[in-house]
C-alpha cells in the first residue's frame, strides 16, 4: 500500500513524511504496546493523513505514461 501511487501522497516529501510516520507509530505499537500486527494497524490508522499531506504539499498526481501490454509478443 505504501508503494501504490493511488494510496500515497503525491509529493516526494509527503511520501517521506507518511512513511516515517507509519514507521514511528509501528515501532511504538510493537515495542511499547506489544502489538503483533503493529505495522498494519499503523498503516490503517494513518491512511487519512494522506489527504492532509496532499492539501499541505500539493504535487502532480501520478499517471502511468503508457498502458501495459497484455500478453507476450508473438
Amino acid at each position: 500500500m505504501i508503494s501504490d501511487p493511488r494510496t500515497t501522497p503525491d509529493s516526494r516529501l509527503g511520501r517521506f513524511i507518511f512513511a516515517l510516520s507509519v514507521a514511528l507509530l509501528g515501532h511504538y505499537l510493537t515495542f511499547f504496546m506489544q502489538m503483533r500486527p503493529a505495522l498494519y494497524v499503523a498503516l490503517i490508522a494513518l491512511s487519512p493523513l494522506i489527504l492532509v499531506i496532499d492539501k499541505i504539499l500539493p504535487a502532480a498526481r501520478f499517471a502511468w505514461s503508457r498502458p501495459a501490454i497484455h500478453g507476450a509478443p508473438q
Side-chain angles (χ1 to χ4, degrees):
M1 186 171 174
I2 290 176
S3 62
D4 183 21
R6 295 282 183 191
T7 57
T8 57
D10 295 331
S11 68
R12 182 181 294 238
L13 179 61
R15 288 189 297 268
F16 178 76
I17 291 169
F18 179 67
L20 183 65
S21 62
V22 169
L24 290 174
L25 182 60
H27 174 78
Y28 175 77
L29 293 174
T30 300
F31 293 107
F32 295 107
M33 302 298 289
Q34 300 295 315
M35 185 182 292
R36 282 185 180 248
L39 284 177
Y40 297 119
V41 171
L43 189 60
I44 292 167
L46 294 176
S47 62
L49 184 63
I50 294 169
L51 300 172
V52 175
I53 292 173
D54 280 342
K55 285 282 189 189
I56 295 171
L57 301 169
R61 175 149 277 212
F62 179 82
W64 296 105
S65 58
R66 58 187 170 129
I69 299 172
H70 299 292
Q74 297 179 2

